C-alpha cells in the first residue's frame, strides 16, 4: 500500500514542478498499546509507530518562497519565509506554518522549497495524522538543508507547532511518530521524556483497529474537565501524603484512604490514573516475557477503567469491546485515544480475523445503523528517508 502512495506522491511532484524530488520522507501515524489519559498525569505511555504513513516529496527551489501541495485535499499554499508567520483560516496549513515558525524561532537557516504530500493515515481515527504531518515536514526540511536537529527535538518542535495551532497535546504522538522502531513499542516517561524500547512480538496475533465511525461532541470539554479533576485529586493526595509528588508515586490504598475527602468524580479519576500507570509497567513486563495473554488482560482492564472510572467511553466503543471480550480468539481490546468515539485497538489470534470482522461489522450495523471501519496495522519504523 505504501509503494502505491510513494509512487502517487512522487509522480504528482514531477507533474507539478517538472523535476524529480530531492528528498522523499515517510512519516507514520501511531497507536498506543496502553497508558491512556496518563500523559498529563506524570505517567508512562506505550505507543508505537505504524505502517500507515504520510509521504512527502521535497526539493529546494532557490527562492525565499515555499510552495506546499496537499494532494488529498486538492489544495496548496505559498509562504514567504522572510515574512512573519501567522495563523490563517485554512486550518491544515497552520500545522506546517507552525513548523516553519519553530525553525525560524530557533534560528535555523533554510531557504525556499517545493513540497508535495499525500497520506493513507485515516483522518479523525485517533492515529495522530497531525503529528505525522508536523514531524515528517520538519524532518524533510532538516534533510533538505542539512540542519542539525536531533530526533527528540523534532518531536518537541512538532509538539510546539501543534500548541501554536491551538491544540494543547502531550508529547506522545510526535515522539512515537519520530522514534518508532519496527516490532518495538516505546515506553515513554511523560515526566522526564526518558524512554526505552520493548519487544512487541505479535507474530501469532493481528493488531486490528475497529473504528466506531462516531465522534461525540463531549470530547474537548470532557478532556479539560478530566485534567482539572486529576489536578484536584493529586492536590488532595499531596496534602495528606506530603512525600507524594504525582500519581505515579501513589498506591491504590492511599487513594482509597482519601475517598471521603474527594468528590465521587475526583476519586474515580484519581484511582484510574494510579491503576493505569501501574498497568503500563506490568504491560512492559508481559511483553518482555512474551506473555501476550497478560497484555491482553491489561488492555481489557484499561477499557473498563476508561469506561467506568474515567467515563470517557461511549455506547458504541463499549459494545465493540464487550462483544469481542466474549470471543476466545480476542486476547485484548480497549478504546484508544481521548474517547467518546474513535477506535478500539484489538489483539486477535491469527486465523480468526475475517470471521470476527464480518460478525462484528454486521452486529454493529444492526445495533447502531453505522458502518464499522476496519484498519489492519503493523508496528513499523518512525519518520525516515525513503530511498528507492
Amino acid at each position: 500500500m505504501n509503494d502505491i502512495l510513494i509512487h502517487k506522491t512522487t509522480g504528482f511532484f514531477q507533474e507539478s514542478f517538472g523535476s524529480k524530488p530531492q528528498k522523499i520522507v515517510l512519516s507514520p501515524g501511531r497507536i498506543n498499546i496502553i497508558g491512556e489519559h496518563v500523559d498529563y498525569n506524570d505517567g508512562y505511555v506505550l505507543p508505537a509507530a505504524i505502517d500507515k504513513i504520510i509521504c512527502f516529496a521535497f526539493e529546494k527551489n532557490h527562492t525565499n518562497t515555499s510552495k506546499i501541495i496537499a494532494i488529498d485535499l486538492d489544495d496548496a499554499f505559498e509562504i514567504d519565509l522572510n515574512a512573519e508567520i501567522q495563523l490563517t483560516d485554512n486550518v491544515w496549513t497552520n500545522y506546517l506554518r507552525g513548523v516553519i515558525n519553530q525553525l525560524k524561532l530557533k534560528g535555523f537557516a533554510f531557504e525556499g522549497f517545493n513540497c508535495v504530500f499525500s497520506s493513507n493515515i485515516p483522518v479523525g481515527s485517533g492515529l495522530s495524522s497531525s503529528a505525522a504531518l508536523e514531524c515528517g515536514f520538519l524532518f524533510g526540511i532538516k534533510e533538505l538543508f542539512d540542519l542539525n536537529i536531533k530526533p527528540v527535538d523534532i518531536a518537541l518542535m512538532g509538539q510546539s507547532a501543534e500548541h501554536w495551532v491551538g491544540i494543547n497535546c502531550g508529547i506522545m504522538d510526535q515522539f512515537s511518530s519520530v522514534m518508532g522502531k519496527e516490532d518495538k513499542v516505546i515506553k515513554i516517561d511523560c515526566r522526564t521524556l526518558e524512554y526505552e524500547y520493548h519487544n512487541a512480538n505479535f507474530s501469532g496475533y493481528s493488531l486490528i483497529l475497529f473504528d466506531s465511525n462516531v465522534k461525540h461532541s463531549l470530547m474537548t470539554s470532557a478532556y479539560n474537565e478530566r485534567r482539572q479533576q486529576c489536578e484536584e485529586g493529586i492536590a488532595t493526595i499531596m496534602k495528606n501524603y506530603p512525600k507524594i509528588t504525582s500519581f505515579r508515586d501513589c498506591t491504590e490504598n492511599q487513594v482509597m484512604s482519601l475517598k471521603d475527602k474527594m468528590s465521587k468524580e475526583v476519586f474515580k479519576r484519581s484511582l484510574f490514573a494510579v491503576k493505569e500507570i501501574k498497568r503500563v509497567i506490568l504491560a512492559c513486563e508481559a511483553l518482555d516475557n512474551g506473555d501476550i495473554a497478560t497484555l491482553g488482560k491489561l488492555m481489557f482492564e484499561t477499557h473498563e477503567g476508561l469506561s467506568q472510572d474515567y467515563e470517557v467511553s461511549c455506547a458504541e466503543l463499549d459494545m465493540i469491546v464487550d462483544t469481542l471480550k466474549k470471543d476466545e480468539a480476542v486476547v485484548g481490546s480497549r478504546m484508544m485515544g481521548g474517547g467518546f468515539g474513535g477506535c478500539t485497538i484489538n489483539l486477535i489470534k491469527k486465523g480468526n480475523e475475517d470471521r470476527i470482522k464480518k460478525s462484528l461489522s454486521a452486529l454493529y450495523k444492526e445495533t447502531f445503523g453505522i458502518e464499522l471501519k476496519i484498519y489492519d496495522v503493523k508496528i513499523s519504523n518512525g519518520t525516515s528517508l525513503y530511498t528507492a
Side-chain angles (χ1 to χ4, degrees):
M1 188 196 291
N2 288 346
D3 289 343
I4 295 167
L5 183 69
I6 293 161
H7 183 72
K8 169 184 156 185
T9 308
T10 53
F12 197 98
F13 186 96
Q14 209 158 344
E15 280 176 34
S16 302
F17 299 111
S19 54
K20 288 185 177 178
Q22 292 170 298
K23 303 284 181 185
I24 299 163
V25 172
L26 311 181
S27 188
R30 66 103 189 98
I31 52 173
N32 186 27
I33 300 293
I34 202 163
E36 214 65 80
H37 281 283
V38 288
D39 56 339
Y40 52 83
N41 284 317
D42 278 346
Y44 309 100
V45 289
L46 202 62
I50 56 170
D51 58 346
K52 300 275 187 284
I53 62 164
I54 302 178
C55 177
F56 297 83
F58 289 89
E59 72 171 358
K60 296 178 184 178
N61 65 20
H62 308 291
T63 72
N64 291 319
T65 303
S66 290
K67 181 167 186 182
I68 298 142
I69 304 173
I71 300 175
D72 309 330
L73 299 174
D74 191 22
D75 200 3
F77 76 105
E78 290 192 17
I79 183 165
D80 181 351
L81 300 177
N82 290 336
E84 186 186 347
I85 310 295
Q86 294 181 322
L87 289 165
T88 71
D89 293 335
N90 197 359
V91 176
W92 73 266
T93 73
N94 288 335
Y95 294 93
L96 306 181
R97 293 174 198 274
V99 167
I100 291 169
N101 191 47
Q102 280 297 304
L103 288 163
K104 289 182 73 171
L105 285 172
K106 295 191 183 306
F108 288 104
F110 60 103
E111 297 168 357
F113 55 89
N114 298 324
C115 174
V116 167
F117 69 91
S118 184
S119 174
N120 58 25
I121 303 172
V123 176
S125 55
L127 302 182
S128 298
S129 54
S130 60
L133 183 65
E134 295 143 7
C135 295
F137 187 62
L138 180 47
F139 184 90
I141 298 169
K142 171 190 91 80
E143 291 292 327
L144 196 61
F145 295 99
D146 199 24
L147 306 178
N148 184 20
I149 310 175
K150 294 176 189 166
V152 70
D153 290 328
I154 291 176
L156 288 165
M157 288 166 73
Q159 181 194 27
S160 296
E162 192 145 339
H163 288 177
W164 183 78
V165 172
I167 299 161
N168 189 25
C169 62
I171 190 61
M172 175 177 73
D173 298 350
Q174 290 81 5
F175 204 100
S176 42
S177 185
V178 174
M179 309 290 284
K181 285 186 180 180
E182 191 173 357
D183 296 331
K184 304 272 186 189
V185 292
I186 319 169
K187 181 190 174 195
I188 307 170
D189 182 329
C190 295
R191 182 158 65 183
T192 65
L193 282 192
E194 290 175 331
Y195 63 97
E196 59 191 35
Y197 292 96
H198 292 265
N199 288 327
N201 182 11
F202 297 140
S203 56
Y205 306 86
S206 290
L207 265 175
I208 300 174
L209 308 180
F210 291 117
D211 187 341
S212 65
N213 212 1
V214 296
K215 252 194 184 329
H216 295 292
S217 57
L218 287 164
M219 179 58 213
T220 305
S221 59
Y223 176 83
N224 293 335
E225 185 182 54
R226 297 302 181 278
R227 286 193 76 149
Q228 200 176 341
Q229 288 164 339
C230 287
E231 284 165 17
E232 195 179 318
I234 195 61
T236 302
I237 292 166
M238 287 163 70
K239 190 175 172 185
N240 288 272
Y241 295 97
K243 288 184 179 177
I244 288 173
T245 57
S246 80
F247 285 119
R248 70 202 269 170
D249 309 320
C250 193
T251 65
E252 286 177 46
N253 287 339
Q254 286 169 326
V255 179
M256 298 295 286
S257 74
L258 298 172
K259 188 173 182 179
D260 296 339
K261 296 189 178 181
M262 299 178 183
S263 72
K264 183 184 171 187
E265 285 75 22
V266 168
F267 169 73
K268 286 164 76 173
R269 309 307 182 242
S270 302
L271 189 61
F272 170 81
V274 169
K275 284 182 171 181
E276 184 70 351
I277 290 166
K278 301 290 187 295
R279 276 192 285 265
V280 178
I281 295 165
L282 292 171
C284 290
E285 289 174 7
L287 283 167
D288 291 343
N289 295 326
D291 185 357
I292 306 303
T294 294
L295 176 67
K297 181 171 168 285
L298 292 165
M299 289 168 69
F300 281 126
E301 286 174 12
T302 288
H303 184 81
E304 189 178 341
L306 287 164
S307 181
Q308 303 301 316
D309 288 338
Y310 221 68
E311 297 180 279
V312 290
S313 188
C314 59
E316 294 89 349
L317 292 169
D318 286 345
M319 177 269 186
I320 293 170
V321 175
D322 291 345
T323 303
L324 293 175
K325 198 170 187 179
K326 295 170 193 160
D327 195 309
E328 286 184 1
V330 181
V331 186
S333 174
R334 70 171 190 86
M335 61 155 276
M336 184 179 77
F340 304 106
C343 285
T344 64
I345 178 170
N346 312 277
L347 265 173
I348 296 174
K349 290 177 184 172
K350 282 200 169 151
N352 297 276
E353 301 94 335
D354 290 345
R355 171 182 65 79
I356 288 169
K357 286 176 185 178
K358 195 173 176 183
S359 62
L360 182 63
S361 295
L363 186 61
Y364 190 76
K365 182 74 187 285
E366 188 185 314
T367 308
F368 298 108
I370 301 168
E371 297 285 349
L372 195 66
K373 291 181 182 172
I374 302 171
Y375 312 118
D376 295 283
V377 297
K378 287 189 171 64
I379 293 177
S380 196
N381 287 316
T383 310
S384 59
L385 271 185
Y386 171 77
T387 48

